[in-house]
Amino acid sequence: MLPDHYATLGLDRRSSLAQIRAAYRVLAAQVHPDLHADSPEAGQRMQELNAAHETLSDPTLRRIYHRDLDASREESKAPRGRLERNISQDVRLPLDAFFRGASLDVRVNDPANPEGMETYTLAVPAETAPGSRFRVARTGAFAGGAVLVRLKAFPNSRFKTRGSDLRCDLRISAQRATQGGHEMIPGPAGKMVRVVIPARVSRGQILRLPGEGMPKARGGRGDLLVRVTYRPVVEIRSKW
């Protein structure tokens, strides 16, 4: 536990800087070692007063002290000897698994479990949103606990995820960029998606396809953001 500098000065956390300095002056005058040459306790008391004053009279040190003091008190309140039954674990799935669903084997090798390996099955429903959390109940010696599983998406070479939205690039010809039209691209759910390209589209322009992104936690799907890229035609001719 950290020393209670406020108790040393006879104050509380709401005390002002002026009150801290005034309390220090009064107490330091009372216990100064020069007045108590035969008392070793006076020297110790003076050190405590100096430490309290140095910490609490500096706004930065006082703020750090409050943070550490609160953390120390919370730690002291934590129950001791309680069997920890809950485990948190992230798992990454390919994008299509969020659309079609998946069945996962959850295995827990806990040295504290006298029954050995724990094996459970987690069924991930179709149209599950990335970031979803599932609670897999533990049994046996750890009954009442759970494995808390959070689903994340694997990094994908084609799509980049941002929340429920997806981003991808579409490279087209300069002729397509000039005339416009449409292109078919593979979507994240495995189906082909139609992208309508306006005539004279700009390089780097983003085309938004509503409802073609990842599943959302409350239903529906995010958007697919397609960035158009192409190489302009450059002709160089001799002038002679």
Side-chain angles (χ1 to χ4, degrees), residues 44-58:
Q44 178 64 30
R45 175 70 170 147
M46 194 65 204
Q47 291 180 8
E48 295 173 356
L49 289 172
N50 288 337
H53 179 259
E54 180 181 353
T55 299
L56 301 182
S57 63
D58 183 302

Side-chain angles (χ1 to χ4, degrees), residues 98-99 124-134 151-152 163-164 214-220:
F98 291 94
F99 294 94
V124 178
E127 299 296 320
T128 293
S132 296
R133 300 172 186 268
F134 292 85
L151 304 183
K152 292 185 174 183
S164 59
M214 297 299 292
K216 292 182 177 182
R218 297 184 178 180

Side-chain angles (χ1 to χ4, degrees), residues 17 73 78 116 121 204 224 236:
L17 179 58
R73 288 174 176 172
T121 299
L224 176 58
I236 302 178

Side-chain angles (χ1 to χ4, degrees), residues 63-74:
R63 185 165 56 251
I64 295 173
Y65 173 69
H66 282 184
R67 181 196 64 193
D68 293 344
L69 185 63
D70 291 340
S72 178
R73 288 174 176 172
E74 286 299 320

Side-chain angles (χ1 to χ4, degrees), residues 121-171:
T121 299
L122 170 59
V124 178
E127 299 296 320
T128 293
S132 296
R133 300 172 186 268
F134 292 85
R135 187 179 189 278
V136 180
R138 300 178 72 181
T139 59
F142 291 87
V147 181
L148 309 176
V149 180
R150 180 175 62 172
L151 304 183
K152 292 185 174 183
F154 261 127
N156 187 284
S157 60
R158 180 170 179 79
F159 297 103
K160 294 181 179 180
T161 59
R162 179 174 293 181
S164 59
D165 290 342
L166 290 174
R167 292 175 176 269
C168 71
D169 290 344
L170 172 60
R171 187 172 184 84

Side-chain angles (χ1 to χ4, degrees), residues 33-226:
D34 291 346
L35 302 177
H36 305 276
D38 298 331
S39 175
E41 291 80 7
Q44 178 64 30
R45 175 70 170 147
M46 194 65 204
Q47 291 180 8
E48 295 173 356
L49 289 172
N50 288 337
H53 179 259
E54 180 181 353
T55 299
L56 301 182
S57 63
D58 183 302
T60 301
L61 293 179
R62 187 179 184 183
R63 185 165 56 251
I64 295 173
Y65 173 69
H66 282 184
R67 181 196 64 193
D68 293 344
L69 185 63
D70 291 340
S72 178
R73 288 174 176 172
E74 286 299 320
E75 183 179 350
S76 67
K77 294 177 183 178
R80 304 291 181 178
R82 182 170 58 89
L83 189 63
E84 183 59 59
R85 291 181 168 85
N86 292 338
I87 308 171
S88 296
Q89 181 66 44
D90 292 346
V91 61
R92 293 189 179 274
L93 301 178
L95 293 185
D96 62 343
F98 291 94
F99 294 94
R100 57 178 170 76
S103 179
L104 306 179
D105 287 333
V106 180
R107 299 183 180 183
V108 181
N109 186 8
D110 192 332
N113 189 348
E115 301 174 7
M117 179 78 73
E118 303 169 55
T119 304
Y120 310 102
T121 299
L122 170 59
V124 178
E127 299 296 320
T128 293
S132 296
R133 300 172 186 268
F134 292 85
R135 187 179 189 278
V136 180
R138 300 178 72 181
T139 59
F142 291 87
V147 181
L148 309 176
V149 180
R150 180 175 62 172
L151 304 183
K152 292 185 174 183
F154 261 127
N156 187 284
S157 60
R158 180 170 179 79
F159 297 103
K160 294 181 179 180
T161 59
R162 179 174 293 181
S164 59
D165 290 342
L166 290 174
R167 292 175 176 269
C168 71
D169 290 344
L170 172 60
R171 187 172 184 84
I172 60 175
S173 65
Q175 181 181 5
R176 173 68 76 200
T178 301
Q179 299 176 349
H182 73 271
E183 297 280 345
M184 301 298 292
I185 64 172
K191 299 179 180 179
M192 300 301 290
V193 177
R194 177 186 171 108
V195 182
V196 177
I197 301 170
R200 300 200 172 277
V201 65
S202 300
R203 284 191 298 163
Q205 184 172 335
I206 303 295
L207 305 179
R208 182 180 291 271
L209 280 62
E212 295 293 347
M214 297 299 292
K216 292 182 177 182
R218 297 184 178 180
R221 289 172 59 182
D223 298 339
L224 176 58
L225 307 178
V226 181

